[in-house]
Amino acid sequence: MIYRIVIELVTVPSGRNTTSDNMTQQYSSKNTSNAQISAPYTNKRYAPLFHAGDRVLDYGGGRYDLAKDYMALKGVRVDIYDPYWRTAEHNKAVLAKFRKNAPDVIVCANVLNVIKEDSIVADVVKKIKGLKGKNTIVIFCVFERDKTGIGTETSKGWQRNDKSADYGRFILPYFPDAIRQNNFWIVR
């Protein structure tokens, strides 16, 4: 089956959600949303990148508000953009807000690794680049799984199985100063 990945949602007459640039994804990423607080928010090395008063864009943040609620306790506002689990109106408002006033931090956790198509992975990174302000920190986090580089269908969708270093081919063209640390890529 072919699913549409939604990068900027627009509603079409049929009521379906589609992308503004009409990109398609062979395996839907919808079911890859897990009820957990993603690693960038809890990892001892990266949690200090967040400060009270920060405004965070969680790009592809999924179905659950666990990270949003967790970070609110620390005085950090997290807005989630997710093409599958948030409404078109919500996503449009979140993107408009951060286009007008760039976020302090952008988190993209476990998004790139569940997209099979290289062109769509690159487009997600490109769209994040377009939302980054001069002082915005960007945190990419990927799940490496078996690290074979041989992608496979899973019960929830797709898993690339790439090593973290392999994502440099998508990230570095847009963020040449990005630094890889374990399964994280950090852009300052």
Side-chain angles (χ1 to χ4, degrees):
M1 291 185 95
I2 301 291
Y3 295 91
R4 294 211 178 270
I5 183 169
V6 184
I7 300 189
E8 287 188 42
L9 286 170
V10 294
T11 302
V12 293
S14 67
R16 296 176 310 163
N17 288 324
T18 186
T19 64
S20 60
D21 44 7
N22 215 20
M23 298 184 84
T24 56
Q25 188 176 345
Q26 184 177 355
Y27 296 92
S28 173
S29 299
K30 181 176 184 176
N31 293 325
T32 63
S33 180
N34 294 317
Q36 65 184 25
I37 300 170
S38 61
Y41 299 110
T42 58
N43 183 290
K44 290 177 183 169
R45 182 179 220 166
Y46 305 106
L49 296 176
F50 301 96
H51 304 95
D54 278 355
R55 297 164 22 310
V56 177
L57 169 59
D58 193 328
Y59 198 96
R63 177 180 192 173
Y64 305 98
D65 286 338
L66 297 174
K68 179 178 180 174
D69 296 342
Y70 174 76
M71 294 305 284
L73 297 173
K74 299 174 181 296
V76 176
R77 169 150 181 135
V78 175
D79 286 289
I80 299 170
Y81 168 87
D82 191 276
Y84 295 109
W85 292 108
R86 309 297 162 147
T87 66
E89 294 78 23
H90 169 88
N91 285 328
K92 191 178 219 179
V94 167
L95 293 178
K97 171 183 176 176
F98 289 123
R99 283 190 181 115
K100 184 177 180 180
N101 188 5
D104 298 299
V105 181
I106 300 174
V107 172
C108 182
N110 303 324
V111 172
L112 306 181
N113 53 278
V114 297
I115 301 170
K116 180 179 181 180
E117 296 77 12
D118 287 357
S119 61
I120 298 174
V121 173
D123 197 61
V124 168
V125 176
K126 178 181 177 183
K127 292 205 180 297
I128 290 171
K129 168 74 172 175
L131 293 163
K132 183 187 183 307
K134 180 181 178 186
N135 297 313
T136 302
I137 296 170
V138 181
I139 305 169
F140 292 98
C141 176
V142 295
F143 177 61
E144 297 173 309
R145 197 169 182 205
D146 67 15
K147 303 178 187 182
T148 62
I150 301 170
T152 186
E153 184 175 4
T154 68
S155 63
K156 294 183 175 188
W158 182 258
Q159 181 56 244
R160 294 183 73 90
N161 295 319
D162 285 340
K163 294 177 184 174
S164 176
D166 296 335
Y167 290 90
R169 72 183 188 270
F170 303 113
I171 295 169
L172 292 171
Y174 297 101
F175 300 108
D177 296 330
I179 297 171
R180 186 181 68 83
Q181 300 169 332
N182 300 318
N183 63 325
F184 290 84
W185 283 85
I186 308 298
V187 181
R188 293 186 186 261

